[in-house]
Structure formats: structure tokens, C-alpha cells
Amino acid sequence: MPETALIISENLASIREMIPDGITLVAVSKFQPVNAIKSAYEAGQIIFGESRVQELLEKIPLLPGDIKWHFIGHLQTNKVRQLIGKTSLIESVDSIRLLEKINEESISKNVITRVLLQLHVAREETKFGFSPDELIQFVKSGAYKDMRAVSLCGLMAMGTNTNDIDIVRNDFQTVANVFKDLKNILCKDHPFEILSMGMSGDWPIAVEEGSNEVRIGSAIFGNR
Ligand SMILES: *Cc1c(COP(=O)(O)O)cnc(C)c1O
């Protein structure tokens, strides 16, 4: 086995050992070459996360067909059409307009698209997502009920990028609380079960605060 393949499989094995049962691991493969993804796949990883539409579309035909692709990057409405039908989950729905667009394109392709709503709680202005109030208001309005080709599967969020673990924990607690609130008010047609939070640097805190899906890139593949 070439050295990088060995490192990837060892990294994967040690992360899998640390993550409690029942928590989904998304291997974030953005900016990683196809060979690195193949190595992780051969080590048993099936779910991969990508953040750019073009990059994902280039990689798909070069990799095994049973890979489940999660889209985790900011998605522009003009790229939605190309993406629909290619993903197992779009995790980064950060506006109502985007959700509407995903619904429209899914109807025209005759598919149901599974999505997560992205919540913005981090203390950085650059990160995308709904504010907690905005999201609760949207769900209370019931406007999503007309969007029959999207399935709302849960929430995705990022914690603040800081070494202060109290801040990070607080971010994840906020997300977990919004998740519970939304679960209670959402119509039961939507399987609102996934709480996607935690990356290489902060996933143990996220899991302690209720995450059931972690998105890990550099701890598997090395630095991008
Ligand atoms: C890049 C990225 C990750 C993975 O980050 P690492 O620190 O490399 O683990 C997770 N989630 C999102 C949304 C990302 O963009």
C-alpha cells in the first residue's frame, strides 16, 4: 500500500474507534485528489463531503457509484440544477430562496432531495446560515409544507473557530436546543433526525452536546 493510502486508512481507523456508535462519519474530501478518496473508500468509508459543485461533479464519474455524497459548501442557486440527483444529502441550505430552488429543480427531475438546514451560531460574520430566530419563524410559518420535493432531515452548523472551548460548547448547545425546538414544531412528514456538527478540531465537544453526525476532513486526509 502506498504511504498516503496507509496514513488515510490508519487515520480513519483511529477516528472510528473514538467516535461513539450511532454517529455518522462524513469524510470531508474537498480539495483532496481522487486517489485519496479511493484510499478512504477502500478502508470502508462510504460517505464523503464536498463543498464545491464543480469539484464534486468532476469527481463523481471517477469514483465508485455507491459513494454517498454530502454537499456541505455554500450553494448558489444557479448551481442547484446541476447538483440535484447527485447527492445523498445537501447539508448547507442557508436560505429560503435556496430551499425553494432545490424544491423546484427536484420537482422537475422527479426526485425528492434530502436536505439539512444550516444554522449560523458561530461568532464569525463570514459563515453562512439561518439565525435561530429566522429558522424557527420559517418553520412556524409552515411555508415548507408546500415544498413537496424536499425532505427536511435536520440541522447542520459550525462552531466558532477558536481555542476557547467554552465558546464552542456554547455554540453547539445553542444548535442542539434549536434542533429540539424545530423537531417539536415540524410536521411529522419530515424525518428531522440529523444533527450535523463537529469537525476535526471540535467534534468531541459536538458529540458531547448531542451531535449525531460529524464532518471530518483534515484529521483523515491531512492538511488541505
Ligand atoms: C471543510 C469543512 C469541514 C471539515 O473541516 P476539517 O477541519 O478539515 O475537519 C466540515 N464541515 C464543513 C462545512 C466544511 O466546510
Side-chain angles (χ1 to χ4, degrees), residues 28 30 51 72-73 156 158 198-201 215-219 224:
V28 175
K30 64 186 185 198
S51 62
I72 62 169
M156 186 273 264
M158 283 185 260
M199 324 201 313
S200 294
R215 309 175 309 271
I216 298 182
S218 46
R224 288 179 288 273

Side-chain angles (χ1 to χ4, degrees), residues 88-150:
S88 142
L89 186 64
I90 299 177
E91 299 204 13
S92 42
V93 175
D94 56 12
S95 71
I96 297 169
R97 200 167 88 88
L98 177 60
L99 187 64
E100 284 168 343
K101 183 72 179 172
I102 292 171
N103 182 56
E104 271 169 35
E105 294 294 344
S106 301
I107 289 172
S108 75
K109 286 214 169 117
N110 205 19
V111 294
I112 304 281
T113 300
R114 299 172 68 244
V115 304
L116 303 184
L117 301 168
Q118 182 173 354
L119 192 62
H120 175 100
V121 291
R123 302 181 189 186
E124 281 125 340
E125 295 195 346
T126 51
K127 287 187 178 158
F128 292 100
F130 291 91
S131 72
D133 283 350
E134 228 181 334
L135 201 49
I136 287 169
Q137 234 183 352
F138 169 64
V139 171
K140 278 191 175 154
S141 78
Y144 66 91
K145 288 180 185 168
D146 297 330
M147 303 183 197
R148 58 188 169 81
V150 289

